[in-house]
């Protein structure tokens, strides 16, 4: 018995020096992650030229769900950015007015407040500007500022919400419609993902596989484009930085940011997609042609990094990306005021 005790004691003595090393290795990964990423905190209380107030948020929610902002009376913001799904529509490209197909995949509205600019090409500086785009786009809601204002003014039930949000007077304007929608969208954040809890110090929030995936994500330089609180959404890069993707992923007619800047170097340049909730926002890329998250990881490794990840690495990174799924806000469907005989007749 004494001999067995001595053997166990000696074995333990050999292990003891390794324990601090293992702990240090864990701490190093967390430290490295904290240098690159941030957990989701509270939404901002003010955006440029827009104080975020409860009255504005409530009005914005009504407008977000109101299909009467479209000329057909059928399409709302929630149609393409469905809050019951991943804040998108799950389609390769958006389907809008008269069943027309849009040119690109609908990005998620969740956490969009953390992006440096809106749309795949960054043509909208903020959520106010973004809100105006789809309303006026012929392939989306197919309306005009004048028609939107006329419609809302014809509905008595909108008078008080606009006054509560913007004060007395002629406050039903297209600009205020956009400000209200922005105020509501600011609240559409998804905190408390496993990765958020990990960044805050709960090392058990991620599985061992997710930690391996995080390490691979960092070591393969994925974080050079996908970092910060939204893991992307801040900068622009050519799609096909190293290797040009197949034609279905990169349609030649869509030159990306070039249409905004008219600069040759911006051909096929797009905003680095924010990766929050990426596991529930398929299909992927601006063309919406990839539905499997593993396939998306493989495409990015090849086209952007020039790397060939093995199956284990791809599985690990995909597992890590699943840890970015946060808690969606609970949004009750608003009770919209009824139309009147003065409300413009929808376009059929």
């Amino acid at each position: 018995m004494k001999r067995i005790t001595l053997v166990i004691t000696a074995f333990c003595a050999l292990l003891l020096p390794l324990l601090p090393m293992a702990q240090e290795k864990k701490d190093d990964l967390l430290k490295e992650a904290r240098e690159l990423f941030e957990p989701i905190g509270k939404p901002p209380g003010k955006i440029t030229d827009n104080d975020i107030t409860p009255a504005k948020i409530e009005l914005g929610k009504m407008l977000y769900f109101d299909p009467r902002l479209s000329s057909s009376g059928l399409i709302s913001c929630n149609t393409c950015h469905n809050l019951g799904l991943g804040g998108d529509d799950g389609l390769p490209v958006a389907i809008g007015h008269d069943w027309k197909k849009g040119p690109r995949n609908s990005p998620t509205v969740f956490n969009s407040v953390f992006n440096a600019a809106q749309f795949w090409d960054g043509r909208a500086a903020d959520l106010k500007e973004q809100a105006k785009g789809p309303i006026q786009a012929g392939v989306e809601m197919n309306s005009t500022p004048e028609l939107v204002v006329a419609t809302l003014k014809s509905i008595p039930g909108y008078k008080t919400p606009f006054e509560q949000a913007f004060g007395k007077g002629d406050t039903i304007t297209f600009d205020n419609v956009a400000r209200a929608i922005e105020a509501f969208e600011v609240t559409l954040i998804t905190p408390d993902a496993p990765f958020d809890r990990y960044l805050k110090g709960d090392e058990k929030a991620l599985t061992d596989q997710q930690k391996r995936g995080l390490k691979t994500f960092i070591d393969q330089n994925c974080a050079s484009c996908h970092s910060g609180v939204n893991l992307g959404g801040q900068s622009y890069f050519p799609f096909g930085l190293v290797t040009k993707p197949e034609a279905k992923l990169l349609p030649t007619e869509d030159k990306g940011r070039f249409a905004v800047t008219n600069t040759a170097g911006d051909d096929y340049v797009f905003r680095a997609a924010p990766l929050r909730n990426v596991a529930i926002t398929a299909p992927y890329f601006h063309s919406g042609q990839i539905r499997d998250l593993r396939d998306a990881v493989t495409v990015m490794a090849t086209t952007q990094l020039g790397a060939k990840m093995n199956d284990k690495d791809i599985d690990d990174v995909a597992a890590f990306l699943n840890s970015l799924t946060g808690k969606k806000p609970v949004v009750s469907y608003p009770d919209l005021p009824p139309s009147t005989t003065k409300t413009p007749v929808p376009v059929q």
Side-chain angles (χ1 to χ4, degrees):
M1 180 64 71
K2 184 176 180 181
R3 184 176 179 181
I4 293 174
T5 302
L6 289 172
V7 170
I8 293 174
T9 302
F11 182 69
C12 290
L14 288 172
L15 288 179
L16 281 174
L18 299 178
L19 293 177
M21 292 174 61
Q23 183 60 46
E24 183 179 348
K25 189 174 181 180
K26 289 183 180 180
D27 290 343
D28 284 347
L29 179 59
L30 178 56
K31 181 181 178 182
E32 197 171 4
R34 283 172 168 170
E35 291 174 351
L36 294 166
F37 313 106
E38 301 171 46
I40 290 179
K42 292 182 179 180
K46 180 178 176 61
I47 303 293
T48 303
D49 191 32
N50 197 13
D51 290 318
I52 309 303
T53 65
K56 259 186 217 173
I57 292 169
E58 190 60 30
L59 172 61
K61 181 172 74 170
M62 295 170 68
L63 296 170
Y64 187 91
F65 283 97
D66 199 330
R68 291 170 295 186
L69 296 190
S70 68
S71 64
S72 66
L74 293 173
I75 302 170
S76 71
C77 301
N78 192 62
T79 302
C80 295
H81 303 283
N82 195 312
L83 304 187
L85 298 173
D88 60 353
D89 55 18
L91 301 174
V93 295
I95 303 296
H97 181 76
D98 200 24
W99 294 100
K100 293 174 184 173
K101 287 185 177 181
R104 294 174 184 160
N105 178 257
S106 299
T108 179
V109 70
F110 289 132
N111 306 306
S112 57
V113 66
F114 300 122
N115 295 330
Q118 306 301 323
F119 295 115
W120 282 98
D121 54 17
R123 65 184 182 275
D126 53 32
L127 291 170
K128 289 188 294 295
E129 188 177 346
Q130 187 279 330
K132 293 180 178 181
I135 293 174
Q136 300 175 82
V139 295
E140 296 184 69
M141 297 170 78
N142 192 47
S143 192
T144 65
E146 295 76 19
L147 180 57
V148 168
V149 170
T151 298
L152 295 174
K153 284 186 174 181
S154 76
I155 302 172
Y158 266 118
K159 185 175 186 297
T160 296
F162 268 93
E163 288 182 345
Q164 290 173 338
F166 296 103
K168 300 287 185 180
D170 187 16
T171 56
I172 299 182
T173 67
F174 193 54
D175 282 343
N176 282 346
V177 167
R179 288 189 181 94
I181 292 174
E182 177 180 58
F184 173 61
E185 290 182 345
V186 164
T187 70
L188 300 179
I189 63 173
T190 60
D192 203 31
F195 188 52
D196 289 313
R197 298 197 297 274
Y198 176 76
L199 290 174
K200 292 178 180 179
D202 180 5
E203 295 200 35
K204 293 182 180 179
L206 298 188
T207 66
D208 289 341
Q209 184 183 27
Q210 288 171 335
K211 289 176 184 176
R212 290 198 306 269
L214 169 59
K215 181 64 175 169
T216 301
F217 190 87
I218 294 172
D219 289 347
Q220 290 286 354
N221 291 320
C222 303
S224 62
C225 301
H226 300 282
S227 59
V229 65
N230 223 8
L231 284 85
Q234 305 303 310
S235 303
Y236 305 92
F237 301 92
F239 188 19
L241 187 62
V242 177
T243 303
K244 188 176 181 179
E246 56 184 305
K248 73 172 186 176
L249 300 183
L250 188 64
T252 55
E253 65 274 13
D254 185 353
K255 292 192 174 184
R257 192 155 171 76
F258 173 80
V260 180
T261 65
N262 203 33
T263 301
D266 283 338
D267 275 353
Y268 306 112
V269 167
F270 298 89
R271 186 187 64 183
L275 297 182
R276 289 281 182 178
N277 303 298
V278 67
I280 61 170
T281 58
Y284 303 113
F285 308 123
H286 71 284
S287 51
Q289 294 299 305
I290 297 291
R291 286 197 167 273
D292 188 281
L293 187 56
R294 291 184 78 262
D295 292 343
V297 172
T298 302
V299 169
M300 291 301 287
T302 302
T303 62
Q304 304 305 103
L305 303 173
K308 289 185 178 180
M309 292 186 186
N310 58 41
D311 287 342
K312 179 179 176 297
D313 286 341
I314 292 170
D315 286 339
D316 289 349
V317 171
F320 162 64
L321 294 177
N322 271 273
S323 78
L324 303 179
T325 304
K327 293 182 179 178
K328 292 192 288 186
V330 177
V331 179
S332 59
Y333 200 96
D335 184 16
L336 301 176
S339 300
T340 67
T341 55
K342 296 181 179 179
T343 302
V345 177
V347 175
Q348 300 296 314

